[in-house]
Amino acid sequence: MDFTFTEEQQAATEAAKAVFSGVVPDGVPSPALVPGAVAEDIDRSLWAGLAAGDLLSLTLSPEHGGTGLDLIALCLVLRESSRVLARVPLLETCAVAMVLQRYGDAGLAAELLPRVGRGELVLTVGANGRSGHDPAELAVTARRDSGDSDSGSVWVLDGVQSGVPWAQVADWIAVPAHTADGRAVLSLVRHSDEGVTLAEQVSTSGELLAEVRLDGVRVEDRALIDTADAWEWLRALLTTGTCALALGLGETVLAMTSEYTGKREQFGFPVATFQSVAVQAADRYIDLRAMELTLWQAAWRISTGTTGALPAEGDIAVAKIWASDGVRRIVQTAQHLHGGFGADTDYPLHRFHAWAKQIELSLGPAAAHEAALGDLLAAHPLG
């Protein structure tokens, strides 16, 4: 494998660095100091900056006003976003847009995607199901409305998706569901649709989530994707993108730890020179490199469709295992090496710790992906 990024991918990284350069992680109240969400909206000025920098249209085709880049480019941008704890639904919006472009109704895609690229629309997705432990598509049922005069033109959704990021401010919510014959489908709904109710929830990182309840919600045929593998592909995009978020956050936290231990002195020497400190930091550096390698392997498999001994789901599972375990170990070691200073709410490390815990558990903790990897190995024995 060649992990050299193309000129276009490197340009996307530089553009992202420029947009995120002015973002301060302490720009909203600390999740440790407020009882509810840290804010009621996304960072709209940053969202506008991402649109102006053509980063929201990065993976859209030219016919929809985009540059036609792939998941690898998106992961490079996501990596930069998590370095500063950017409060924008970049992953959710871009992932849903990619699925709509690939599998959705052509007319609806032409209507929505150019507006997504211009920052006029926010998209999100319910990927947690009822509890975050069971497959998300099992939490909602989708059935044809047999009583509709135009047979097959309307679907009816019933169920609950929990922990939907920024559902209150999203223009469209992608909802996975299952049909009576067990097929997974993906529908687009709006929180203003009749039968959709939202209950406020708050993430570990202090960001606004929602429980989205669907009670007989009617969805036009063009707003429901009944193509095989559409939901599986969206979940793969989300999981891999989450790994990119873990990587960027972990890199920033390790850099903060290096800077602090290089300045903090005990017995007249920087604590970074102590063997026990150096060994712990070295272990976390190894975690980062493993997180990086497995991330690009998974993104490459998805982007190119390259076959291997295991399906791409195996590489995605390995990447999420490393991302979940690695980011947890990195922030725990950082807290330990910072001492009491790491828990000071005037210092940003505690925010990174909260975000890391949210990322670790998003779309399944390491144990869930280890079980999935075991199932794949059982189904595809390696010769």
Side-chain angles (χ1 to χ4, degrees):
M1 293 174 293
D2 182 3
F3 286 110
T4 303
F5 300 114
T6 66
E7 291 184 5
E8 293 82 1
Q9 292 164 349
Q10 293 177 38
T13 303
E14 294 305 314
K17 288 179 178 179
V19 172
F20 293 123
S21 63
V23 179
V24 180
D26 288 336
V28 294
S30 166
L33 301 177
V34 294
V38 297
E40 296 300 314
D41 199 359
I42 64 174
D43 187 336
R44 290 290 177 176
S45 61
L46 178 57
W47 194 248
L50 290 168
D54 294 327
L55 294 174
L56 297 181
S57 59
L58 193 69
T59 57
L60 299 181
S61 65
E63 68 179 296
H64 295 133
T67 50
L69 296 186
D70 57 11
L71 177 61
I72 295 173
L74 176 59
C75 285
L76 286 167
V77 176
L78 290 168
R79 180 187 192 178
E80 297 301 322
S81 75
S82 63
R83 292 181 189 272
V84 296
L85 307 185
R87 301 182 48 261
V88 287
L90 179 61
L91 171 58
E92 293 83 5
T93 294
C94 291
V96 173
M98 290 171 71
V99 171
L100 178 58
Q101 177 174 259
R102 180 168 176 169
Y103 294 104
D105 177 83
L108 186 61
E111 177 184 329
L112 299 183
L113 295 183
R115 298 185 63 196
V116 170
R118 295 193 297 267
E120 298 171 4
L121 295 179
V122 173
L123 310 179
T124 191
V125 54
N128 293 312
R130 288 181 175 271
S131 65
H133 297 292
D134 298 321
E137 67 274 17
L138 298 184
V140 176
T141 61
R143 59 179 174 82
R144 296 272 192 184
D145 186 359
S146 57
D148 192 84
S149 58
D150 183 9
S151 180
S153 66
V154 174
W155 291 78
V156 179
L157 305 179
D158 291 282
V160 176
Q161 289 289 346
S162 183
V164 181
W166 294 113
Q168 293 87 341
V169 299
D171 298 281
W172 291 87
I173 305 169
V175 178
H178 69 281
T179 62
D181 58 359
R183 290 180 295 111
V185 297
L186 189 66
S187 64
L188 290 175
V189 302
R190 290 164 290 200
H191 55 74
S192 59
D193 289 343
E194 184 177 355
V196 176
T197 56
L198 306 183
E200 182 175 311
Q201 297 176 318
V202 181
S203 71
T204 302
S205 58
E207 298 301 333
L208 192 62
L209 306 176
E211 178 189 80
V212 178
R213 186 171 294 275
L214 306 134
D215 184 11
V217 178
R218 297 169 66 82
V219 177
E220 293 182 1
D221 200 46
R222 71 173 191 151
L224 186 139
I225 301 174
D226 194 12
T227 308
D229 301 328
W231 163 236
E232 293 298 327
W233 198 63
L234 176 53
R235 185 164 54 189
L237 297 178
L238 293 169
T239 306
T240 307
T242 301
C243 296
L245 295 174
L247 176 61
L249 186 150
E251 289 173 331
T252 296
V253 169
L254 190 59
M256 291 169 62
T257 306
S258 176
E259 181 180 7
Y260 177 78
T261 57
K263 294 178 179 178
R264 178 75 166 88
E265 291 189 359
Q266 284 189 353
F267 311 112
F269 296 94
V271 296
T273 62
F274 298 169
Q275 186 178 27
S276 60
V277 173
V279 167
Q280 291 181 71
D283 285 343
R284 301 296 77 80
Y285 177 81
I286 293 171
D287 280 334
L288 278 178
R289 297 289 69 82
M291 291 164 65
E292 183 176 23
L293 175 65
T294 54
L295 162 65
W296 300 131
Q297 168 77 2
W300 174 72
R301 286 289 304 272
I302 295 172
S303 297
T304 62
T306 303
T307 59
L310 290 178
E313 289 80 4
D315 294 284
I316 297 167
V318 171
K320 189 57 166 68
I321 291 166
W322 274 105
S324 292
D325 282 344
V327 78
R328 184 189 71 251
R329 288 192 291 257
I330 289 166
V331 294
Q332 287 177 342
T333 297
Q335 290 281 13
H336 175 63
L337 296 182
H338 275 82
F341 195 52
D344 189 339
T345 55
D346 291 328
Y347 186 68
L349 181 60
H350 76 287
R351 293 177 184 265
F352 285 89
H353 200 155
W355 276 65
K357 179 55 66 175
Q358 181 68 30
I359 290 172
E360 176 195 348
L361 301 178
S362 293
L363 295 155
H369 291 274
E370 288 168 351
L373 181 60
D375 291 340
L376 283 170
L377 288 169
H380 302 82
L382 302 179

